[in-house]
Amino acid sequence: MQQTISFSEPAQQRELRSIRRWIVFFMIALIGSGVTAFPIQTELHFFMQFRDYLPLPGIMQQWLEYIATNVDQTMRTFPQVFYGCDWLAFSHIVIALFFIGVYKNPVQNAWVIRIGLIACIGIIPLAFIGGSVRDIPFFWRLIDCSFGVFGSLPLLLVLHKIKKLDVACKPWN
């Protein structure tokens, strides 16, 4: 069974606490972004009620209206299609669970951070290629890409901190 990492040096302890805080933040953000796929119709109806108060350009409002209409129509006719959204939400929760290993032992489980960074980078070609195939407007593809960009920032920070921690823990230092 894997042990949790422990250090005696105050600086190393601070670094470890910082890594763990960022990991918890990332896990919460990942789960939060995923579970929004469960109530997609409810969320769209909520946004549509307040669309006039949101600072959205006309084209974004038109896009949300178009999507809300299509979601309503699909829900009435083919509700099983939204089972895919349920799996999307579930996958976010499962992916977040992998970061528990990083929380417990960041140095040993840095590979999870690297895989997370690869996934964040992969969002960009997916958004542009898949978005083009599915006729998703360019501005929405940029919003999708922002998840990869903003998701990679805490992961890069954590990876940097893990490298510092790894060097500080080597017995020959």
Side-chain angles (χ1 to χ4, degrees):
M1 184 160 258
Q2 181 178 324
Q3 293 281 331
T4 4
I5 198 164
S6 62
F7 304 102
S8 58
E9 298 293 322
Q12 294 165 339
Q13 286 288 346
R14 275 193 307 276
E15 204 68 49
L16 183 59
R17 273 194 307 277
S18 176
I19 289 168
R20 287 178 171 164
R21 280 190 208 110
W22 280 109
I23 290 301
V24 168
F25 167 77
F26 186 80
M27 290 173 68
I28 290 168
L30 187 59
I31 291 169
S33 71
V35 297
T36 61
F38 283 126
I40 195 164
Q41 187 178 33
T42 305
E43 290 169 342
L44 280 168
H45 285 190
F46 176 80
F47 280 114
M48 296 314 294
Q49 285 179 329
F50 299 100
R51 68 180 170 268
D52 295 333
Y53 304 105
L54 298 172
L56 300 174
I59 191 163
M60 287 181 89
Q61 272 196 1
Q62 291 170 353
W63 174 249
L64 283 176
E65 289 169 8
Y66 174 74
I67 294 301
T69 300
N70 286 317
V71 164
D72 288 343
Q73 193 172 23
T74 304
M75 190 64 84
R76 277 191 307 275
T77 313
F78 307 106
Q80 63 277 11
V81 168
F82 293 97
Y83 189 54
C85 292
D86 299 341
W87 278 102
L88 172 68
F90 178 71
S91 68
H92 278 73
I93 295 166
V94 170
I95 292 167
L97 293 175
F98 281 93
F99 289 88
I100 293 171
V102 181
Y103 182 91
K104 289 178 75 174
N105 190 329
V107 173
Q108 184 178 357
N109 294 298
W111 66 271
V112 175
I113 300 295
R114 291 183 185 95
I115 297 294
L117 283 166
I118 291 168
C120 286
I121 291 166
I123 289 171
I124 295 169
L126 175 65
F128 283 106
I129 295 167
S132 176
V133 169
R134 305 270 189 228
D135 288 329
I136 305 298
F138 184 74
F139 71 84
W140 198 263
R141 288 184 244 170
L142 291 177
I143 291 170
D144 288 341
C145 288
S146 73
F147 282 92
V149 172
F150 291 120
S152 67
L153 295 176
L155 294 181
L156 285 168
L157 177 67
V158 166
L159 189 59
H160 175 72
K161 289 176 173 291
I162 289 172
K163 288 178 183 178
K164 282 175 39 180
L165 195 59
D166 188 28
V167 169
C169 293
K170 298 282 188 212
W172 52 81
N173 282 341

